[in-house]
Amino acid sequence: MLITSSVLLVIGAAQAYAASATRNNLAPQVSPVFPNMKPATGVVTSYNPGPYDMSPTLDTKGLSGYPNAWESPSTTSAEVKAAYKAIDWSKVPKAPVRKQKTDGSWVSDSDGDSDPYCWWSSTNCLSPKVSYLPDDIYTCPNKGDWGLNYDDGPFNRYTDENAKKENPYAEPALYNFLAKTNQKSTLFYIGSNVATYPAAAKRGLNDGHQLCSHTWSHPVMTTQTNIQIVAELYWTLKAIKEATGVTPQCWRPPQGDVDDRVRAIAWQMGMRTVIWDEDTNDWDMPAPGGGNLSPKKVDAYFQKLIDNEKAGKYETGHIVLEHELNSATVNMSMFWMPKLQEVFNVVPALSCNGVTQPYWEKNFVYPTGNSDQVPTKTSGPIAPTSTPSTCTGGSFGLGKGDGYNGACCNDQSDCLDNCLSGTCNGPINPNPTCVAGSFGLSKGDGYNGACCSDQSDCLDDCLSGKCNGPTNPNVVTTTAPTTAPTTAPITCTIGSQGLGKGDGYNGACCNDQSDCLDNCLSGKCNGPVKTTTTKTTTTSKATASCIAGVRGKKRGNGETGYCCSSSDDCVETCRSGTCGL
């Protein structure tokens, strides 16, 4: 959901942001009252510049006394009615309660050319038509800023069949990843997720992130009645307050759907609307809660943003929509974050707009960058920084990208895949040792067994950090005579050479990789043997770690597990030479 045309509307964002009474002719705000609430424990009471707790697990006990998670909350509770009565309804425009069809499309998608209620879903309107509401925050005014933000958190752990795949990326995985580089973000929390996993919300606050509301059950807000809107916002604010001790003055409407009726209710309940101006579409990738968008297309969105910034195409910064929704979105963010940090000034979305006090609790004063020396106070015991679990030395902080599963790591640049809670995940080292001398040099001279970063280090391919292909003819072992280099026989099977059809079986003549099902080695295809011949050899895989057949073909048909040279080879995307996240 991209904003197609816009003007700079965030000047004065900080000044208008925290109004608690009529200021600059804005409608007054009232912080909701949460009866009988005990003070939050285990949280900081002012901005925490570090150091941070990096323990990999959190308490999963939830809060009690809340509506059912991910269900539309009741509008009959005394607390919701009290919040409803506190609103000045003369300052709430009478926009219609909108309706959607079963496929999610609008029954009516326009209020007319004048757009009298500034309906974002219809016109991308960002500046309310009534004078008593502030403009939406939606971009970073300073060129080069990337306003980091994540929707839909905190990412809860699974207990069903999704647990094995999803839980390594559930919180605190993302927060620990960000903490390793002192990277801060603005987090838009689902009230249901806070109520079911309050320890994760505490970690978000304690790690120096800014917390905002994203409703209780993620409805399309302009389809809700006035009291339904109040209930969605009230229970979210209460859950955040009980878990963390802070009351946000910021919120984001699900799907960006907002008009002046919804804005006015949220504003009077103390919150300013925050949208975005670029969308990674990470939310649409295949994973629990996601869609069907290929991850390689999301890769392309990130790359385009980087390329445009390098080319000087942007006059301002951006708030780019991302999610802590599932393993796919968190994995995607972990992969691209180091690349973004090389090109952009990555700061929280509110910080790039000069917002330093995002809560009603004014003892929290955030920096406009990623760190400062503000002292930390605590209202209860914070879990001590735990000693990391045992990990294998040799990769931590080197940034060589060669860390196998279990290697100690500082961030993703130390690992073949990802760095989770100080330890690399991803492939297990099939050969504990490899021959030094080729890794990262890109000279293409790595013989069989040489350490490698990618294919450019090897005579043939780089598989799981180790070159395959011909053996070094100049190395003499103590167990066998000198081995001659692996070369193709003088004869090869005609029919594939130079055609680029990718159909060459083992032994077929070839010019390059495009002629073969797998690779072209010394003018001859390796890979699977043609099963129609009289040979008894069965079709084989290229390696034990990935499946041959799509590498270098750029056909986009490689399923998860196939060998790849780039994402163009895969249905999803290419990571560490293998298709899939």
Side-chain angles (χ1 to χ4, degrees):
M1 291 178 281
L2 291 178
I3 292 178
T4 54
S5 61
S6 55
V7 295
L8 189 60
L9 299 174
V10 295
I11 302 300
Q15 289 78 7
Y17 185 82
S20 56
T22 301
R23 181 190 301 178
N24 298 329
N25 297 317
L26 296 177
Q29 294 178 294
V30 178
S31 176
V33 176
F34 310 111
N36 303 318
M37 181 179 290
K38 296 179 180 179
T41 60
V43 291
V44 295
T45 57
S46 61
Y47 168 73
N48 181 17
Y52 302 119
D53 177 6
M54 301 284 284
S55 57
T57 58
L58 296 172
D59 186 357
T60 57
K61 182 180 179 181
L63 303 177
S64 60
Y66 285 82
N68 292 334
W70 288 96
E71 293 182 7
S72 180
S74 169
T75 58
T76 61
S77 80
E79 293 177 60
V80 170
K81 289 181 178 180
Y84 182 87
K85 290 179 180 178
I87 292 173
D88 178 356
W89 293 100
S90 70
K91 295 289 187 181
V92 177
K94 293 179 172 29
V97 177
R98 306 179 191 280
K99 297 185 182 300
Q100 288 185 314
K101 301 175 185 177
T102 55
D103 63 358
S105 62
W106 296 101
V107 172
S108 175
D109 62 4
S110 174
D111 290 334
D113 293 341
S114 65
D115 188 25
Y117 301 113
C118 189
W119 185 19
W120 188 91
S121 297
S122 177
T123 65
N124 288 150
C125 180
L126 297 157
S127 184
K129 298 302 177 72
V130 293
S131 61
Y132 49 80
L133 296 177
D135 295 334
D136 299 340
I137 293 175
Y138 76 96
T139 192
C140 294
N142 294 325
K143 180 178 175 60
D145 281 355
W146 178 288
L148 188 63
N149 63 108
Y150 297 95
D151 279 9
D152 297 344
F155 181 0
N156 279 222
R157 295 179 64 82
Y158 280 82
T159 57
D160 58 13
E161 66 277 4
N162 294 306
K164 182 176 180 180
K165 182 177 181 181
E166 296 299 311
N167 286 354
Y169 294 93
E171 296 306 351
L174 176 62
Y175 302 161
N176 285 349
F177 172 82
L178 296 174
K180 287 182 173 71
T181 57
N182 203 30
Q183 182 64 62
K184 308 300 191 299
S185 178
T186 304
L187 307 176
F188 292 91
Y189 276 168
I190 297 288
S192 293
N193 285 344
V194 174
T196 53
Y197 200 14
K202 295 176 190 288
R203 177 67 69 87
L205 181 76
N206 291 343
D207 281 5
H209 302 298
Q210 302 160 344
L211 310 188
C212 300
S213 168
H214 195 41
T215 75
W216 177 262
S217 65
H218 206 269
V220 179
M221 289 296 275
T222 64
T223 68
Q224 305 290 289
T225 66
N226 288 347
I227 198 165
Q228 285 178 319
I229 294 169
V230 171
E232 287 281 344
L233 299 177
Y234 174 82
W235 289 113
T236 304
L237 288 172
K238 182 177 180 180
I240 294 173
K241 174 69 173 179
E242 182 173 348
T244 68
V246 300
T247 314
Q249 290 190 300
C250 45
W251 87 293
R252 173 171 286 164
Q255 302 178 29
D257 181 57
V258 69
D259 60 15
D260 284 350
R261 177 177 70 98
V262 179
R263 284 186 186 91
I265 296 172
W267 173 257
Q268 290 197 52
M269 293 180 71
M271 293 176 289
R272 185 170 180 181
T273 302
V274 183
I275 307 289
W276 60 88
D277 64 340
E278 295 286 351
D279 188 351
T280 64
N281 291 297
D282 62 343
W283 52 272
D284 200 20
M285 291 186 292
N292 297 304
L293 183 67
S294 170
K296 68 183 176 184
K297 292 186 178 180
V298 179
D299 280 335
Y301 295 143
F302 277 100
Q303 189 62 58
K304 183 178 180 180
L305 290 165
I306 289 173
D307 291 345
N308 286 348
E309 179 64 23
K310 287 182 175 179
K313 294 184 178 181
Y314 296 134
E315 296 182 359
T316 67
H318 295 287
I319 294 177
V320 185
L321 183 62
E322 295 183 67
H323 294 75
E324 52 168 310
L325 176 62
N326 49 44
S327 60
T329 64
V330 174
N331 180 297
M332 186 65 67
S333 185
M334 288 177 170
F335 178 79
W336 283 100
M337 183 59 65
K339 299 172 176 59
L340 297 174
Q341 290 169 330
E342 291 177 357
V343 177
F344 292 92
N345 175 39
V346 183
V347 295
L350 294 183
S351 295
C352 77
N353 284 280
V355 176
T356 59
Q357 292 180 294
Y359 313 131
W360 283 91
E361 295 75 21
K362 298 309 173 188
N363 45 313
F364 278 86
V365 181
Y366 285 79
T368 55
N370 274 318
S371 65
D372 68 4
Q373 300 301 314
V374 177
T376 302
K377 299 177 182 178
T378 61
S379 61
I382 297 178
T385 302
S386 63
T387 302
S389 58
T390 302
C391 53
T392 306
S395 297
F396 188 90
L398 299 181
K400 293 183 176 180
D402 60 353
Y404 285 97
N405 194 304
C408 303
C409 54
N410 184 42
D411 55 40
Q412 194 174 24
S413 67
D414 295 330
C415 303
L416 286 166
D417 190 9
N418 289 316
C419 179
L420 300 178
S421 302
T423 303
C424 294
N425 71 344
I428 297 172
N429 188 351
N431 301 289
T433 59
C434 55
V435 181
S438 297
F439 187 92
L441 300 181
S442 300
K443 293 182 178 180
D445 60 356
Y447 285 97
N448 195 304
C451 304
C452 54
S453 176
D454 55 39
Q455 196 171 24
S456 65
D457 294 332
C458 304
L459 287 167
D460 186 18
D461 283 330
C462 178
L463 302 177
S464 300
K466 191 174 180 181
C467 294
N468 72 344
T471 304
N472 189 342
N474 299 315
V475 175
V476 180
T477 67
T478 59
T479 59
T482 303
T483 305
T486 302
T487 59
I490 295 176
T491 59
C492 56
T493 306
I494 62 172
S496 298
Q497 188 167 26
L499 300 181
K501 295 182 177 179
D503 59 356
Y505 285 94
N506 195 304
C509 304
C510 55
N511 280 342
D512 56 38
Q513 197 172 25
S514 67
D515 294 331
C516 304
L517 286 166
D518 191 16
N519 291 312
C520 179
L521 301 178
S522 302
K524 188 175 177 181
C525 293
N526 71 345
V529 176
K530 192 171 184 179
T531 56
T532 57
T533 66
T534 58
K535 294 182 179 180
T536 58
T537 307
T538 58
T539 302
S540 63
K541 294 182 179 181
T543 70
S545 58
C546 60
I547 304 167
V550 304
R551 187 196 295 273
K553 307 303 187 300
K554 298 184 178 181
R555 294 177 178 175
N557 61 348
E559 300 288 347
T560 297
Y562 274 77
C563 305
C564 55
S565 294
S566 71
S567 292
D568 292 333
D569 295 333
C570 304
V571 174
E572 290 188 345
T573 193
C574 184
R575 294 285 190 267
S576 303
T578 303
C579 289
L581 290 173

